[in-house]
Amino acid sequence: MEIMGITAISSITIICYLGAELCKALGLDAKWLPCVCGITGAVLGLAAMYAMPEFPAGNIITALAVGIVSGLAATGTNELVKQLSKK
């Protein structure tokens, strides 16, 4: 996997994390954040497959899986930040 492929995956995670933060700021219940991140990641994974030839997915199913996992990683990152900031 080339560096650009890894960068694309981490970019999906960052975009999904920012989307989750936006949803929280707009007052969306936190129980919906994993769904929002997963769906956003799936859409971004498909878009990246078609837009970037070096994206590490050669077919639609793999692109969806990479996107969904990257989106859900944003939810995990959000939980990590929340748990580390607790006192």
Side-chain angles (χ1 to χ4, degrees):
M1 182 183 324
E2 294 182 18
I3 296 296
M4 286 302 292
I6 295 170
T7 304
I9 292 172
S10 58
S11 298
I12 291 172
T13 304
I14 292 168
I15 292 168
C16 290
Y17 181 80
L18 292 174
E21 290 297 316
L22 177 66
C23 288
K24 287 193 315 189
L26 293 174
L28 183 68
D29 191 8
K31 71 179 180 181
W32 296 108
L33 293 181
C35 293
V36 169
C37 287
I39 291 169
T40 304
V43 170
L44 291 172
L46 283 176
M49 184 185 83
Y50 289 112
M52 302 173 58
E54 63 274 354
F55 189 69
N59 58 49
I60 292 173
I61 300 297
T62 306
L64 282 172
V66 168
I68 290 169
V69 168
S70 298
L72 292 177
T75 305
T77 302
N78 181 44
E79 285 298 315
L80 178 68
V81 169
K82 189 166 52 172
Q83 292 297 322
L84 289 176
S85 65
K86 272 187 176 178
K87 289 188 178 189

Coordinates of all heavy atoms in Angstrom, one line a residue:
M1 N 0.9 -1.2 0.0 CA 0.0 0.0 0.0 C 0.9 1.2 0.0 O 1.8 1.4 0.8 CB -0.9 0.0 1.2 CG -1.8 1.1 1.3 SD -2.9 1.2 2.8 CE -3.3 -0.4 3.2
E2 N 0.6 2.1 -0.9 CA 1.4 3.3 -1.0 C 1.0 4.3 0.1 O 0.0 4.2 0.7 CB 1.2 4.0 -2.4 CG 1.7 3.1 -3.5 CD 1.5 3.8 -4.8 OE1 1.3 5.0 -4.9 OE2 1.6 3.1 -5.8
I3 N 1.9 5.3 0.3 CA 1.6 6.3 1.3 C 0.3 7.0 1.0 O -0.5 7.3 2.0 CB 2.8 7.3 1.3 CG1 4.1 6.7 1.8 CG2 2.5 8.5 2.2 CD1 4.0 6.1 3.2
M4 N 0.0 7.3 -0.2 CA -1.3 8.0 -0.5 C -2.5 7.2 -0.1 O -3.5 7.8 0.3 CB -1.4 8.4 -2.0 CG -0.4 9.6 -2.4 SD -0.8 11.1 -1.5 CE -2.4 11.5 -2.1
G5 N -2.4 5.9 -0.2 CA -3.5 5.0 0.2 C -3.8 5.1 1.7 O -4.9 5.2 2.2
I6 N -2.7 5.1 2.5 CA -2.8 5.3 3.9 C -3.3 6.6 4.3 O -4.1 6.8 5.2 CB -1.4 5.0 4.6 CG1 -1.0 3.5 4.3 CG2 -1.5 5.3 6.1 CD1 0.4 3.2 4.7
T7 N -2.9 7.6 3.6 CA -3.3 9.0 3.8 C -4.8 9.1 3.5 O -5.5 9.8 4.3 CB -2.5 10.0 3.0 OG1 -1.1 9.8 3.2 CG2 -2.9 11.4 3.2
A8 N -5.3 8.5 2.5 CA -6.7 8.5 2.2 C -7.5 7.9 3.3 O -8.6 8.5 3.7 CB -7.0 7.8 0.8
I9 N -7.1 6.8 3.8 CA -7.8 6.2 4.9 C -7.9 7.0 6.2 O -8.9 7.2 6.8 CB -7.2 4.8 5.2 CG1 -7.5 3.9 4.0 CG2 -7.8 4.2 6.5 CD1 -6.7 2.6 4.1
S10 N -6.7 7.6 6.5 CA -6.8 8.5 7.7 C -7.5 9.8 7.4 O -8.2 10.3 8.4 CB -5.3 8.8 8.2 OG -4.6 9.4 7.1
S11 N -7.6 10.2 6.2 CA -8.4 11.4 5.9 C -9.9 11.1 6.1 O -10.6 12.0 6.5 CB -8.1 11.8 4.4 OG -6.8 12.2 4.3
I12 N -10.3 9.9 5.7 CA -11.7 9.6 5.9 C -12.0 9.6 7.4 O -13.1 10.1 7.8 CB -12.0 8.2 5.3 CG1 -11.9 8.2 3.8 CG2 -13.4 7.7 5.7 CD1 -12.0 6.9 3.1
T13 N -11.1 9.1 8.2 CA -11.4 9.1 9.6 C -11.5 10.5 10.2 O -12.4 10.8 11.0 CB -10.2 8.3 10.4 OG1 -10.1 7.0 9.8 CG2 -10.5 8.2 11.9
I14 N -10.6 11.4 9.7 CA -10.6 12.7 10.2 C -11.9 13.5 9.8 O -12.5 14.2 10.6 CB -9.4 13.5 9.7 CG1 -8.1 12.9 10.4 CG2 -9.5 15.0 10.0 CD1 -6.8 13.4 9.8
I15 N -12.3 13.3 8.5 CA -13.5 13.9 8.0 C -14.7 13.4 8.8 O -15.6 14.2 9.2 CB -13.7 13.7 6.5 CG1 -12.6 14.5 5.8 CG2 -15.1 14.1 6.1 CD1 -12.5 14.1 4.3
C16 N -14.8 12.1 9.1 CA -15.9 11.5 9.8 C -15.9 12.1 11.3 O -17.0 12.3 11.9 CB -15.8 10.0 9.8 SG -16.2 9.3 8.2
Y17 N -14.7 12.2 11.9 CA -14.6 12.8 13.2 C -15.2 14.2 13.3 O -15.9 14.5 14.2 CB -13.2 12.7 13.7 CG -13.0 13.3 15.1 CD1 -13.3 12.5 16.2 CD2 -12.6 14.6 15.3 CE1 -13.1 12.9 17.5 CE2 -12.4 15.1 16.6 CZ -12.7 14.2 17.7 OH -12.5 14.7 19.0
L18 N -14.8 15.0 12.3 CA -15.3 16.4 12.2 C -16.8 16.4 12.0 O -17.5 17.2 12.5 CB -14.6 17.1 11.1 CG -13.1 17.4 11.4 CD1 -12.4 18.1 10.2 CD2 -12.9 18.3 12.7
G19 N -17.3 15.4 11.2 CA -18.7 15.3 11.0 C -19.5 15.0 12.3 O -20.5 15.5 12.6
A20 N -18.9 14.1 13.1 CA -19.5 13.7 14.4 C -19.5 14.9 15.3 O -20.5 15.2 16.0 CB -18.7 12.6 15.0
E21 N -18.4 15.7 15.3 CA -18.4 16.9 16.1 C -19.4 17.9 15.7 O -20.1 18.6 16.5 CB -17.0 17.5 16.1 CG -15.9 16.7 16.8 CD -16.2 16.6 18.3 OE1 -16.5 17.6 18.9 OE2 -16.0 15.5 18.8
L22 N -19.6 18.0 14.4 CA -20.7 18.9 13.9 C -22.0 18.5 14.3 O -22.9 19.3 14.8 CB -20.6 19.0 12.4 CG -21.6 19.9 11.7 CD1 -21.5 21.3 12.1 CD2 -21.6 19.7 10.2
C23 N -22.3 17.2 14.2 CA -23.6 16.6 14.7 C -23.8 16.9 16.2 O -24.9 17.2 16.6 CB -23.6 15.1 14.4 SG -23.8 14.7 12.6
K24 N -22.8 16.7 17.0 CA -22.9 17.0 18.4 C -23.2 18.5 18.6 O -24.0 18.8 19.5 CB -21.6 16.6 19.2 CG -21.5 15.1 19.3 CD -20.4 14.7 20.3 CE -19.1 15.4 20.2 NZ -18.1 14.8 21.0
A25 N -22.5 19.3 17.9 CA -22.8 20.8 18.0 C -24.2 21.2 17.6 O -24.7 22.1 18.2 CB -21.7 21.6 17.2
L26 N -24.7 20.4 16.7 CA -26.1 20.7 16.2 C -27.2 20.1 17.1 O -28.4 20.2 16.9 CB -26.3 20.2 14.8 CG -25.5 21.0 13.7 CD1 -25.7 20.3 12.4 CD2 -25.9 22.4 13.7
G27 N -26.7 19.3 18.1 CA -27.7 18.8 19.1 C -28.2 17.4 18.8 O -29.1 16.9 19.4
L28 N -27.5 16.7 17.8 CA -27.9 15.3 17.6 C -27.6 14.4 18.7 O -26.5 14.5 19.3 CB -27.2 14.8 16.3 CG -27.6 13.4 15.8 CD1 -29.1 13.4 15.3 CD2 -26.7 13.0 14.7
D29 N -28.5 13.5 19.1 CA -28.2 12.6 20.2 C -27.0 11.7 19.9 O -26.8 11.2 18.8 CB -29.4 11.7 20.4 CG -29.4 10.9 21.7 OD1 -28.5 11.1 22.5 OD2 -30.2 10.0 21.9
A30 N -26.1 11.5 20.9 CA -24.9 10.8 20.7 C -25.0 9.4 20.3 O -24.1 8.8 19.7 CB -24.1 10.9 22.0
K31 N -26.2 8.8 20.5 CA -26.4 7.4 20.1 C -26.4 7.2 18.6 O -26.2 6.1 18.1 CB -27.7 6.8 20.7 CG -28.9 7.4 20.0 CD -30.2 6.8 20.6 CE -31.4 7.4 20.0 NZ -32.6 6.8 20.6
W32 N -26.6 8.3 17.8 CA -26.6 8.2 16.4 C -25.2 8.5 15.8 O -25.0 8.3 14.5 CB -27.6 9.3 15.8 CG -29.0 9.0 16.2 CD1 -29.7 9.6 17.1 CD2 -29.7 7.9 15.7 NE1 -31.0 9.1 17.2 CE2 -31.0 8.0 16.4 CE3 -29.5 6.8 14.8 CZ2 -32.0 7.0 16.2 CZ3 -30.5 5.9 14.6 CH2 -31.8 6.0 15.3
L33 N -24.2 8.9 16.5 CA -22.9 9.2 16.0 C -22.2 8.0 15.3 O -21.6 8.2 14.2 CB -22.0 9.8 17.1 CG -22.4 11.2 17.6 CD1 -21.5 11.7 18.6 CD2 -22.6 12.2 16.5
P34 N -22.2 6.8 15.8 CA -21.6 5.7 15.1 C -22.3 5.5 13.7 O -21.6 5.2 12.7 CB -21.8 4.5 16.0 CG -22.0 5.0 17.3 CD -22.7 6.4 17.2
C35 N -23.6 5.6 13.6 CA -24.3 5.5 12.3 C -23.9 6.5 11.4 O -23.6 6.3 10.2 CB -25.8 5.5 12.5 SG -26.4 4.1 13.4
V36 N -23.9 7.8 11.9 CA -23.5 8.9 11.0 C -22.0 8.7 10.5 O -21.8 8.9 9.3 CB -23.6 10.2 11.8 CG1 -23.0 11.4 11.0 CG2 -25.1 10.5 12.1
C37 N -21.1 8.3 11.4 CA -19.7 8.1 11.0 C -19.6 6.9 10.0 O -18.8 7.0 9.1 CB -18.9 7.9 12.2 SG -18.6 9.4 13.2
G38 N -20.3 5.9 10.3 CA -20.2 4.7 9.4 C -20.7 5.0 8.0 O -20.1 4.6 7.0
I39 N -21.9 5.7 7.9 CA -22.4 6.0 6.6 C -21.6 7.0 5.9 O -21.3 6.9 4.7 CB -23.9 6.5 6.8 CG1 -24.8 5.3 7.2 CG2 -24.4 7.1 5.5 CD1 -26.2 5.7 7.7
T40 N -21.1 8.0 6.6 CA -20.2 9.0 6.0 C -19.0 8.4 5.5 O -18.5 8.7 4.4 CB -19.9 10.1 7.0 OG1 -21.1 10.7 7.5 CG2 -19.0 11.2 6.4
G41 N -18.4 7.5 6.3 CA -17.2 6.7 5.8 C -17.4 5.9 4.6 O -16.6 5.8 3.7
A42 N -18.6 5.2 4.5 CA -18.9 4.4 3.4 C -19.0 5.3 2.1 O -18.4 4.9 1.1 CB -20.2 3.7 3.6
V43 N -19.6 6.4 2.2 CA -19.8 7.3 1.1 C -18.4 7.8 0.6 O -18.0 7.9 -0.6 CB -20.7 8.5 1.4 CG1 -20.7 9.6 0.3 CG2 -22.1 8.0 1.6
L44 N -17.6 8.2 1.6 CA -16.2 8.7 1.3 C -15.3 7.6 0.8 O -14.5 7.9 -0.1 CB -15.6 9.3 2.6 CG -16.2 10.7 3.0 CD1 -15.6 11.1 4.4 CD2 -16.0 11.7 2.0
G45 N -15.5 6.4 1.2 CA -14.7 5.3 0.7 C -15.0 5.0 -0.8 O -14.2 4.8 -1.6
L46 N -16.3 5.1 -1.1 CA -16.7 4.9 -2.5 C -16.2 6.0 -3.4 O -15.7 5.8 -4.5 CB -18.2 4.8 -2.6 CG -18.9 3.5 -2.3 CD1 -20.4 3.6 -2.4 CD2 -18.4 2.4 -3.2
A47 N -16.3 7.2 -2.9 CA -15.8 8.4 -3.6 C -14.3 8.3 -3.8 O -13.8 8.6 -4.9 CB -16.2 9.7 -2.9
A48 N -13.6 7.9 -2.8 CA -12.1 7.8 -2.9 C -11.7 6.7 -3.9 O -10.7 6.9 -4.6 CB -11.5 7.5 -1.5
M49 N -12.5 5.6 -3.9 CA -12.1 4.5 -4.9 C -12.2 5.0 -6.3 O -11.3 4.7 -7.1 CB -13.1 3.4 -4.7 CG -12.7 2.2 -5.6 SD -13.9 0.9 -5.6 CE -15.1 1.5 -6.7
Y50 N -13.2 5.9 -6.6 CA -13.3 6.4 -8.0 C -12.4 7.6 -8.3 O -12.0 7.8 -9.4 CB -14.7 6.8 -8.3 CG -15.6 5.5 -8.4 CD1 -16.6 5.3 -7.4 CD2 -15.5 4.7 -9.4 CE1 -17.4 4.2 -7.5 CE2 -16.3 3.5 -9.5 CZ -17.2 3.3 -8.6 OH -18.0 2.2 -8.7
A51 N -12.1 8.4 -7.2 CA -11.3 9.6 -7.4 C -9.8 9.4 -7.3 O -9.0 10.1 -7.9 CB -11.7 10.6 -6.4
M52 N -9.4 8.3 -6.6 CA -7.9 8.1 -6.4 C -7.5 6.7 -6.8 O -7.9 5.7 -6.2 CB -7.6 8.2 -4.9 CG -8.0 9.6 -4.3 SD -7.8 9.6 -2.5 CE -6.1 9.2 -2.3
P53 N -6.7 6.7 -7.8 CA -6.3 5.3 -8.3 C -5.4 4.5 -7.3 O -5.4 3.3 -7.3 CB -5.5 5.6 -9.6 CG -5.4 7.1 -9.7 CD -6.2 7.7 -8.6
E54 N -4.8 5.2 -6.4 CA -4.0 4.5 -5.4 C -4.7 4.1 -4.1 O -4.2 3.6 -3.2 CB -2.8 5.4 -5.0 CG -3.1 6.7 -4.4 CD -3.3 7.8 -5.3 OE1 -3.2 7.6 -6.5 OE2 -3.8 8.9 -4.9
F55 N -6.0 4.4 -4.1 CA -6.8 4.0 -2.9 C -6.8 2.5 -2.8 O -6.9 1.7 -3.8 CB -8.3 4.5 -3.1 CG -9.2 4.3 -1.9 CD1 -8.9 5.1 -0.8 CD2 -10.2 3.4 -1.9 CE1 -9.7 4.9 0.4 CE2 -10.9 3.2 -0.7 CZ -10.7 4.0 0.4
P56 N -6.6 2.0 -1.6 CA -6.4 0.5 -1.4 C -7.6 -0.3 -1.4 O -7.8 -1.2 -0.6 CB -5.7 0.5 0.0 CG -6.3 1.6 0.7 CD -6.5 2.7 -0.3
A57 N -8.5 -0.1 -2.4 CA -9.7 -0.9 -2.6 C -9.9 -1.0 -4.1 O -9.9 0.0 -4.8 CB -10.9 -0.3 -1.9
G58 N -10.0 -2.3 -4.6 CA -10.2 -2.5 -6.0 C -11.6 -2.7 -6.4 O -11.9 -2.8 -7.6
N59 N -12.5 -2.9 -5.4 CA -13.9 -3.1 -5.8 C -14.8 -2.4 -4.8 O -14.4 -1.8 -3.8 CB -14.3 -4.6 -5.9 CG -14.0 -5.3 -4.5 OD1 -14.4 -4.8 -3.5 ND2 -13.3 -6.4 -4.6
I60 N -16.1 -2.3 -5.1 CA -17.1 -1.5 -4.3 C -17.2 -2.1 -2.9 O -17.2 -1.3 -1.9 CB -18.4 -1.5 -5.0 CG1 -18.3 -0.7 -6.3 CG2 -19.5 -0.9 -4.1 CD1 -19.6 -0.7 -7.2
I61 N -17.2 -3.4 -2.7 CA -17.4 -4.0 -1.4 C -16.2 -3.6 -0.5 O -16.4 -3.2 0.7 CB -17.6 -5.5 -1.5 CG1 -18.8 -5.8 -2.3 CG2 -17.7 -6.1 -0.1 CD1 -20.1 -5.3 -1.7
T62 N -15.0 -3.7 -1.0 CA -13.8 -3.4 -0.2 C -13.8 -1.9 0.1 O -13.4 -1.5 1.2 CB -12.6 -3.8 -1.0 OG1 -12.7 -5.2 -1.3 CG2 -11.3 -3.6 -0.1
A63 N -14.2 -1.1 -0.9 CA -14.2 0.4 -0.6 C -15.2 0.7 0.4 O -14.9 1.6 1.3 CB -14.5 1.1 -1.9
L64 N -16.4 0.1 0.4 CA -17.4 0.3 1.5 C -16.8 -0.1 2.8 O -17.0 0.6 3.8 CB -18.6 -0.5 1.2 CG -19.6 0.1 0.1 CD1 -20.7 -0.8 -0.2 CD2 -20.1 1.5 0.6
A65 N -16.2 -1.3 2.9 CA -15.7 -1.8 4.1 C -14.6 -0.9 4.7 O -14.6 -0.6 5.9 CB -15.1 -3.2 3.9
V66 N -13.6 -0.4 3.8 CA -12.6 0.5 4.3 C -13.2 1.8 4.8 O -12.8 2.3 5.8 CB -11.6 0.7 3.1 CG1 -10.6 1.9 3.4 CG2 -10.8 -0.5 2.8
G67 N -14.2 2.3 4.1 CA -14.8 3.5 4.5 C -15.6 3.4 5.8 O -15.4 4.3 6.7
I68 N -16.3 2.3 5.9 CA -17.1 2.1 7.2 C -16.2 1.9 8.4 O -16.4 2.5 9.4 CB -18.0 0.9 7.0 CG1 -19.2 1.2 6.0 CG2 -18.6 0.5 8.4 CD1 -20.0 0.0 5.6
V69 N -15.1 1.1 8.2 CA -14.2 0.9 9.3 C -13.5 2.2 9.7 O -13.3 2.6 10.8 CB -13.2 -0.2 9.0 CG1 -12.0 -0.2 10.0 CG2 -13.9 -1.5 8.9
S70 N -13.1 3.0 8.7 CA -12.5 4.3 8.9 C -13.4 5.3 9.6 O -13.0 6.0 10.5 CB -12.0 4.9 7.6 OG -11.0 4.1 7.0
G71 N -14.7 5.2 9.2 CA -15.7 6.1 9.9 C -15.9 5.7 11.3 O -16.0 6.5 12.2
L72 N -16.0 4.4 11.6 CA -16.2 3.9 12.9 C -14.9 4.1 13.8 O -15.1 4.2 15.0 CB -16.6 2.4 12.9 CG -18.0 2.2 12.3 CD1 -18.3 0.7 12.3 CD2 -19.1 2.9 13.1
A73 N -13.8 4.2 13.2 CA -12.6 4.5 13.9 C -12.7 6.0 14.5 O -12.1 6.3 15.5 CB -11.3 4.4 13.0
A74 N -13.4 6.8 13.7 CA -13.6 8.2 14.2 C -14.5 8.1 15.5 O -14.2 8.9 16.5 CB -14.3 9.0 13.2
T75 N -15.4 7.2 15.6 CA -16.2 7.1 16.8 C -15.3 6.6 18.0 O -15.4 7.1 19.1 CB -17.4 6.1 16.6 OG1 -18.1 6.5 15.5 CG2 -18.3 6.0 17.8
G76 N -14.5 5.7 17.7 CA -13.5 5.2 18.7 C -12.6 6.3 19.2 O -12.3 6.4 20.3
T77 N -12.1 7.1 18.2 CA -11.3 8.2 18.6 C -12.0 9.2 19.5 O -11.5 9.7 20.4 CB -10.8 9.0 17.3 OG1 -10.1 8.0 16.5 CG2 -9.9 10.1 17.6
N78 N -13.3 9.5 19.1 CA -14.1 10.4 20.0 C -14.2 9.8 21.4 O -14.1 10.6 22.4 CB -15.5 10.5 19.3 CG -16.4 11.5 20.1 OD1 -15.9 12.5 20.5 ND2 -17.6 11.1 20.3
E79 N -14.5 8.5 21.5 CA -14.6 7.9 22.9 C -13.2 8.0 23.6 O -13.2 8.2 24.8 CB -15.0 6.5 22.7 CG -16.5 6.3 22.4 CD -17.4 6.9 23.5 OE1 -17.2 6.7 24.7 OE2 -18.3 7.7 23.1
L80 N -12.1 7.8 22.9 CA -10.8 7.8 23.5 C -10.6 9.2 24.1 O -10.1 9.4 25.2 CB -9.7 7.5 22.5 CG -8.3 7.5 23.0 CD1 -8.0 6.4 24.0 CD2 -7.3 7.4 21.8
V81 N -10.8 10.2 23.3 CA -10.7 11.6 23.7 C -11.5 11.9 24.9 O -11.1 12.5 25.9 CB -10.9 12.6 22.6 CG1 -11.0 14.0 23.1 CG2 -9.9 12.5 21.5
K82 N -12.8 11.4 24.9 CA -13.7 11.7 26.0 C -13.2 11.0 27.3 O -13.3 11.6 28.4 CB -15.1 11.2 25.6 CG -16.2 11.6 26.6 CD -17.6 11.4 26.0 CE -17.9 10.0 25.5 NZ -19.3 9.8 25.1
Q83 N -12.8 9.7 27.2 CA -12.3 9.0 28.3 C -11.0 9.6 28.9 O -10.9 9.6 30.1 CB -12.1 7.5 28.0 CG -13.4 6.8 27.7 CD -14.3 6.7 28.8 OE1 -14.0 6.6 30.0 NE2 -15.6 6.9 28.5
L84 N -10.1 10.0 28.0 CA -8.9 10.6 28.5 C -9.1 12.0 29.2 O -8.3 12.4 30.0 CB -7.9 10.7 27.4 CG -7.3 9.4 26.9 CD1 -6.4 9.6 25.7 CD2 -6.6 8.6 28.0
S85 N -10.1 12.7 28.8 CA -10.3 14.0 29.4 C -11.1 14.0 30.6 O -11.3 15.0 31.3 CB -11.0 14.9 28.3 OG -12.3 14.4 28.0
K86 N -11.6 12.8 31.0 CA -12.4 12.6 32.3 C -11.4 12.7 33.4 O -10.2 12.3 33.3 CB -13.1 11.3 32.3 CG -14.4 11.3 31.8 CD -15.1 9.9 32.1 CE -16.5 9.9 31.6 NZ -17.1 8.5 31.8
K87 N -11.9 13.2 34.5 CA -11.0 13.3 35.7 C -11.6 12.4 36.8 O -12.7 12.1 36.9 CB -10.9 14.7 36.2 CG -10.0 15.5 35.3 CD -9.7 16.9 35.9 CE -8.8 17.6 34.9 NZ -8.3 18.8 35.4

